């Protein structure tokens, strides 16, 4: 597991480049991807944000050490405003001081930059890649919006309508999972990938919402494959350290939703 | 089950002649020299084919390749770049690719929305929408400094996506009755529009101006939007 502090100075003899140096008579050349991958990595974010969780899982999957720069809730640091002048939002990845913004875009950047490390986060076939991108966009633009509307809904009628919309989305994602996973545990196959990360990052907030509403938003009876997938996702070693604890997140949610209207 | 080799390479595009999202797919396919069959769709009376191929959004464009449908224009553009590797739309460098995707998303999710607000509102609300559109466009203005196109010396993803600004927003300013993108404030964008207008692929793939303006005028009348 990569540490959040600086890279240790110990020489790891199993490191591929060092091993190659020891076994070949000539000094190995750094590959293009290694050159691209060098440089300090920092991530501006916050522990509770599902969007911030996405690049964190990706960096973990690629075993890339990074410094996590936590923003204080309610204010934006100078570095954030300078690094993301357009949206002024987290997450922002800083790689050798170059900023990359927008969570799904950052995940692709991580996959392309550290392509020789860890599993590929996107499938290899163009059509499968298109499906991953399509559903990731659907999750952000429709599914998550329905989840947010559920939190805001007032009265039984409105709640019923939002739940119906949300469950329609779940049914679509259940089918998408079966199509994409092709019998494997994740949308991306054997390993967590771009689409797993895009949906999985919302699971902690989903659980908090279920608790607050006393309603099962992800139901084993209705979406059995998604529920199994959620279990696998949450238990993955790349995910566990960065998935907010439900109780801690519920407390945080109470605090931020209790703020008086401006 | 013997398939003709031509069938397995068949590319079909369900689109609409006046839609910026449909035209951008035509630009990408033409740029790469990919032959395709175009199927004009009536979006006011959606065909069974469209509903079957895009059940989630029921919208054009839909690209069908090897019998498999792909929807959402940005997803389709990336698919085209992944599949036909000549004349790449996206740069090689990961941080440049990330920037291109960033601008494409900004154009579709914010600039396009703000521009539609300009068309659909009046008075103070419209003034606010104009200002919002201009603030967003200023980022694109700065991106173009020292470049012929967003993609550098040739068309890239952002150019293709931003044709929405060139040929749907700027083109309809007279009809809207407000110069959202005045040349004094946006000299680089206007220089870029000139570059685009001189490009053979763009010339071939954008809607003919007179018919396009007539269509928009008719739509504005139908939606009771005052046209200048």
């Amino acid at each position: 597991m990569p540490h959040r502090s600086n890279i240790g100075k110990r020489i790891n003899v199993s490191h591929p480049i060092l091993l190659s140096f020891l076994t070949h008579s000539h000094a190995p050349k750094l590959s293009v991807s290694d050159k691209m991958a060098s440089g300090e990595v920092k991530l501006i974010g916050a522990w509770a944000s599902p969007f911030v969780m996405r690049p964190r899982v990706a960096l973990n999957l690629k075993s890339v050490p990074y410094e996590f720069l936590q923003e204080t809730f309610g204010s934006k640091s100078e570095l954030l405003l300078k690094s993301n002048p357009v949206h002024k939002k987290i997450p922002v990845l800083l790689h050798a001081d170059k900023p990359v913004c927008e969570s799904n875009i950052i995940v692709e950047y991580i996959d392309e930059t550290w392509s020789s490390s860890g599993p590929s986060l996107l499938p290899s076939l163009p059509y499968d890649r298109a499906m991953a991108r399509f559903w990731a966009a659907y999750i952000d633009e429709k599914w998550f919006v329905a989840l947010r509307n559920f939190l805001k809904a007032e009265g039984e009628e409105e709640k019923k309508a939002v739940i119906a919309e949300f469950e329609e989305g779940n049914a679509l994602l259940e089918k998408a999972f079966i199509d994409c996973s092709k019998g494997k545990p994740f949308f991306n196959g054997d390993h967590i990938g771009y689409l797993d990360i895009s949906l999985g990052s919302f699971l902690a907030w989903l659980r908090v919402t279920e608790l607050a509403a006393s309603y099962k938003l992800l139901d084993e009876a209705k979406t059995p494959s998604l529920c199994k997938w959620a279990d696998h996702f949450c238990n993955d070693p790349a995910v566990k350290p960065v998935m907010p604890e439900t109780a801690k997140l519920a407390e945080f949610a109470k605090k931020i939703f209790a703020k008086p209207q401006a | 089950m013997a398939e003709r080799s031509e069938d397995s390479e068949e590319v079909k595009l369900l689109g609409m002649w006046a839609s910026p999202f449909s035209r951008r797919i035509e630009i990408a396919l033409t740029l790469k020299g990919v032959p395709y069959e175009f199927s004009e769709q009536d979006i006011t009376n959606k065909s069974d084919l469209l509903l079957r191929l895009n059940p989630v959004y029921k919208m054009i464009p839909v690209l069908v390749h090897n019998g498999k449908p792909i929807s959402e224009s940005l997803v389709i553009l990336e698919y085209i770049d992944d599949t036909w590797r000549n004349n790449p739309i996206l740069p090689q460098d990961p941080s440049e690719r990330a920037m291109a995707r960033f601008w494409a998303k900004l154009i579709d999710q914010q600039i396009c929305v703000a521009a539609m607000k300009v068309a659909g509102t009046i008075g103070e609300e419209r003034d606010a929408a104009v200002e919002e559109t201009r603030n967003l466009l200023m980022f694109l203005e700065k991106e173009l400094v020292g470049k012929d196109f967003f993609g550098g010396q040739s068309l890239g993803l952002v150019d293709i996506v931003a044709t929405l600004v060139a040929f749907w927003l700027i083109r309809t300013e007279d009809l809207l009755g407000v110069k959202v993108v005045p040349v004094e404030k946006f000299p680089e964008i206007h220089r870029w529009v000139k570059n685009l207008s001189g490009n053979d692929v763009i010339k071939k793939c954008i809607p003919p101006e007179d018919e396009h303006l007539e269509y928009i005028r008719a739509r504005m009348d139908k939606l009771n939007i005052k046209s200048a």
Side-chain angles (χ1 to χ4, degrees):
Chain A
M1 265 298 101
H3 294 289
R4 289 170 199 178
S5 54
N6 292 327
I7 305 165
K9 297 280 189 228
R10 286 172 298 154
I11 296 171
N12 182 353
V13 182
S14 64
H15 190 287
I17 291 174
L18 188 57
L19 197 61
S20 146
F21 180 73
L22 293 174
T23 54
H24 295 284
S25 53
H26 56 275
K29 269 204 183 128
L30 280 176
S31 67
V32 174
S33 61
D34 290 321
K35 274 207 202 93
M36 289 197 302
S38 63
E40 220 178 31
V41 181
K42 298 180 187 169
L43 184 72
I44 309 175
W47 68 273
S49 161
F51 303 100
V52 171
M53 191 178 148
R54 290 172 176 172
R56 297 183 82 186
V57 174
L59 289 166
N60 287 352
L61 286 165
K62 298 287 191 178
S63 303
V64 176
Y66 64 97
E67 193 185 344
F68 189 49
L69 303 172
Q70 282 246 54
E71 289 286 300
T72 314
F73 181 73
S75 71
K76 298 186 193 218
S77 69
E78 275 306 308
L79 183 64
L80 173 61
L81 298 176
K82 188 179 71 136
S83 309
N84 190 356
V86 178
H87 299 299
K88 308 175 176 55
K89 283 188 181 167
I90 50 168
V92 180
L93 185 82
L94 292 165
H95 185 200
D97 295 322
K98 252 205 236 165
V100 184
C101 309
E102 295 292 287
S103 62
N104 283 342
I105 293 176
I106 299 173
V107 171
E108 275 211 74
Y109 173 84
I110 291 168
D111 194 35
E112 288 169 1
T113 301
W114 288 279
S115 54
S116 52
S117 170
S120 200
L121 300 181
L122 274 157
S124 47
L125 293 176
Y127 179 75
D128 296 336
R129 293 159 73 84
M131 288 306 103
R133 292 192 173 112
F134 175 87
W135 288 113
Y138 173 83
I139 285 160
D140 277 1
E141 288 156 39
K142 300 283 174 196
W143 187 87
F144 175 59
V145 172
L147 179 63
R148 266 208 336 249
N149 289 343
F150 178 75
L151 276 167
K152 288 195 241 161
E154 289 175 22
E156 282 311 304
E157 281 307 308
E158 206 187 332
K159 277 210 169 86
K160 262 202 211 140
V162 178
I163 286 177
E165 189 192 347
F166 186 76
E167 292 190 335
E168 226 181 271
N170 279 354
L172 286 175
L173 291 177
E174 172 83 0
K175 180 165 191 301
F177 177 78
I178 293 164
D179 291 341
C180 295
S181 64
K182 308 193 224 286
K184 302 281 169 88
F186 299 107
F187 283 93
N188 199 42
D190 285 312
H191 306 282
I192 286 179
Y194 176 84
L195 183 53
D196 302 278
I197 291 172
S198 127
L199 183 60
S201 59
F202 287 122
L203 288 172
W205 276 100
L206 190 80
R207 280 205 212 102
V208 166
T209 310
E210 285 181 330
L211 283 175
S214 306
Y215 186 88
K216 251 191 176 292
L217 287 168
L218 210 62
D219 194 335
E220 295 95 35
K222 296 179 185 159
T223 53
S225 308
L226 276 185
C227 289
K228 252 197 230 119
W229 161 83
D231 238 354
H232 285 134
F233 183 84
C234 294
N235 286 310
D236 192 278
V239 171
K240 262 191 161 147
V242 297
M243 174 81 88
E245 272 170 36
T246 310
K248 189 177 176 195
L249 194 61
E251 266 312 302
F252 177 76
K254 264 199 216 112
K255 192 173 84 175
I256 59 170
F257 291 125
K259 272 193 159 200
Q261 302 280 326
Chain B
M1 208 180 21
E3 274 180 350
R4 286 187 306 155
S5 59
E6 302 98 88
D7 285 340
S8 63
E9 275 309 304
E10 195 183 78
V11 179
K12 188 172 182 169
L13 175 64
L14 277 74
M16 194 267 163
W17 73 277
S19 156
F21 306 99
S22 172
R23 288 288 180 167
R24 56 174 68 159
I25 308 303
E26 297 205 75
I27 293 170
L29 290 169
T30 305
L31 199 61
K32 293 184 181 256
V34 178
Y36 62 97
E37 183 199 327
F38 185 76
S39 172
E40 179 74 30
Q41 298 293 304
D42 180 357
I43 51 178
T44 61
N45 182 18
K46 296 178 182 182
S47 67
D48 286 337
L49 181 67
L50 176 60
L51 298 177
R52 184 169 54 88
L53 294 178
N54 189 359
V56 177
Y57 295 110
K58 307 173 175 56
M59 295 211 291
I60 53 95
V62 181
L63 188 81
V64 187
H65 183 217
N66 296 334
K68 294 197 211 161
I70 298 146
S71 340
E72 291 297 280
S73 65
L74 293 182
V75 175
I76 299 172
L77 288 173
E78 294 241 22
Y79 174 82
I80 289 172
D81 213 36
D82 275 347
T83 304
W84 293 279
R85 310 304 294 262
N86 62 317
N87 295 349
I89 295 170
L90 278 161
Q92 283 274 62
D93 175 73
S95 67
E96 285 176 41
R97 290 165 77 87
M99 275 320 297
R101 288 172 175 141
F102 177 87
W103 296 123
K105 195 174 176 200
L106 185 78
I107 291 164
D108 275 5
Q109 294 196 344
Q110 296 193 232
I111 294 178
C112 182
V113 172
M116 291 201 301
K117 255 195 251 163
V118 173
T121 55
I122 52 168
E124 267 180 39
E125 238 191 302
R126 170 178 266 211
D127 293 341
V130 169
E131 193 177 332
E132 189 188 348
T133 309
R134 285 182 182 161
N135 288 339
L136 292 164
L137 284 172
M138 215 24 103
F139 292 111
L140 295 186
E141 174 76 9
K142 293 196 186 115
E143 259 310 286
L144 282 169
V145 172
K147 288 155 88 170
D148 288 343
F149 299 103
F150 288 102
Q153 287 177 329
S154 55
L155 297 178
L157 177 74
V158 182
D159 298 282
I160 296 173
V161 172
T163 51
L164 183 151
V165 173
F167 304 108
W168 276 263
L169 174 58
I170 295 177
R171 198 184 241 189
T172 61
E173 278 180 329
D174 291 338
L175 272 181
L176 285 174
V178 53
K179 282 246 177 276
V180 184
V181 195
V183 62
E184 326 81 69
K185 287 203 164 84
F186 300 96
E188 302 292 340
I189 288 182
H190 279 266
R191 182 177 59 83
W192 165 76
V193 173
K194 270 209 189 78
N195 290 339
L196 276 186
S197 306
N199 178 279
D200 287 333
V201 172
I202 296 290
K203 277 195 283 199
K204 192 170 179 212
C205 295
I206 55 171
E209 186 160 11
D210 293 338
E211 285 98 309
H212 193 194
L213 290 173
E214 201 35 62
Y215 172 81
I216 298 211
R217 192 179 282 118
R219 273 205 79 196
M220 285 171 79
D221 286 345
K222 202 164 182 206
L223 296 167
N224 283 324
I225 297 169
K226 208 165 99 78
S227 61

